[in-house]
Amino acid sequence: MTSTKPSPSPSLNHLSRRALPKLGIAGGIVSGVALGGWAGASRGLAQESTPGATPDVDLDLLLPATPAIEDDDEPTLEQTEGPYFTTNTPERTNLREEGVVGTNLTVAGFVVGLDGAPIPSTLIEFWQADGDGVYDNEGYRLRGHQLTDDEGRFILETVTPGLYPGRTRHIHVMVQAPGRDVLTTQLYLPDEPSNDEDNIFDESLRLEIQPEKLEDGSEVGLFTFVLDLS
Ligand code: FE
């Protein structure tokens, strides 16, 4: 079995400008590259090296060779962006930096079309509260973007988001296949008592928690984003 890890794309000029008005942000030019995704993607790729950009975990060991998708799978449900989205996040798959509060959680999976075919080079932006339920609205703690690898896979090394008033534990996500509109949604943990009290919680957005933890004690939650590219 070969080891394939996500590799950052050198360019985002294949991404759609159509997403920009939807996100309410302006595009720009950095190093001669036209930026089509949300502005969060631009700055990270302009940085020469980003700690955590390369995952420590081998995706071949975490994920099946191909994504499992049912014939009747529907596109991943859209959910609200919430008030705490920030642009210009770093490109990275590991959000566990010094000072981040919380227990380790690793999220991994695929981005696929309705036909189950993986979608490489899909831009994914994650942002979330720390284990105490606190967002970093000044900097980029627990925020980052990445591109799916050649097999449409992603991995996020993070911590379990904490609770804050009115919400169950959740991770915010934007997903944009090359040249397509942005899907904005949220991911949830299964068996979370506060899920039932959350107004927008949806069962279809639960992570599939794996029976075994990683060596670092991290819980592993799998999720497949299904995009309607028609
Ligand atoms: Fe939130």
Side-chain angles (χ1 to χ4, degrees), residues 135 164 167 170 172:
Y135 284 89
Y164 62 90
R167 293 303 318 274
H170 62 282
H172 293 272

Side-chain angles (χ1 to χ4, degrees), residues 18-227:
R18 284 180 300 165
L20 293 173
K22 192 174 177 181
L23 290 166
I25 55 177
I29 302 293
V30 172
S31 303
V33 175
L35 300 173
W38 52 89
S42 62
R43 190 159 152 195
L45 289 180
Q47 293 171 352
E48 286 192 357
S49 67
T50 306
T54 305
D56 302 324
V57 180
D58 187 345
L59 270 175
D60 286 342
L61 300 178
L62 275 191
L63 295 174
T66 55
I69 184 167
E70 312 286 334
D71 284 345
D72 57 352
D73 260 1
E74 299 198 344
T76 298
L77 186 71
E78 289 211 45
Q79 291 214 310
T80 54
E81 177 183 314
Y84 302 126
F85 174 68
T86 294
T87 59
N88 295 330
T89 64
E91 181 187 15
R92 55 183 176 179
T93 62
N94 190 341
L95 305 183
R96 294 177 206 147
E97 55 192 322
E98 198 173 339
V100 167
V101 176
T103 55
N104 287 351
L105 171 68
T106 298
V107 182
F110 294 88
V111 178
V112 302
L114 284 174
D115 58 358
I119 310 174
S121 300
T122 296
L123 184 55
I124 310 183
E125 176 98 31
F126 290 104
W127 72 104
Q128 65 169 88
D130 68 12
D132 289 337
V134 176
Y135 284 89
D136 177 9
N137 292 310
E138 310 282 315
Y140 301 105
R141 188 166 286 182
L142 291 171
R143 300 173 183 273
H145 72 272
Q146 61 179 281
L147 294 167
T148 55
D149 69 5
D150 291 344
E151 296 168 58
R153 307 179 301 181
F154 69 90
I155 182 167
L156 182 72
E157 292 173 274
T158 185
V159 296
T160 299
L163 296 167
Y164 62 90
R167 293 303 318 274
T168 189
R169 300 179 201 279
H170 62 282
I171 297 175
H172 293 272
V173 198
M174 287 184 186
V175 184
Q176 186 182 33
R180 302 295 178 149
D181 289 340
V182 174
L183 166 74
T184 302
T185 191
Q186 302 182 26
L187 300 179
Y188 299 92
L189 292 159
D191 306 323
E192 178 63 39
S194 48
N195 285 348
D196 290 340
E197 296 152 23
D198 190 290
N199 286 335
I200 66 167
F201 165 77
D202 191 278
E203 288 191 356
S204 71
L205 296 171
R206 288 175 304 178
L207 296 175
E208 187 186 325
I209 298 295
Q210 301 303 288
E212 296 202 13
K213 293 183 177 180
L214 300 178
E215 275 182 14
D216 65 0
S218 177
E219 228 171 6
V220 178
L222 305 185
F223 193 83
T224 297
F225 295 99
V226 181
L227 304 183

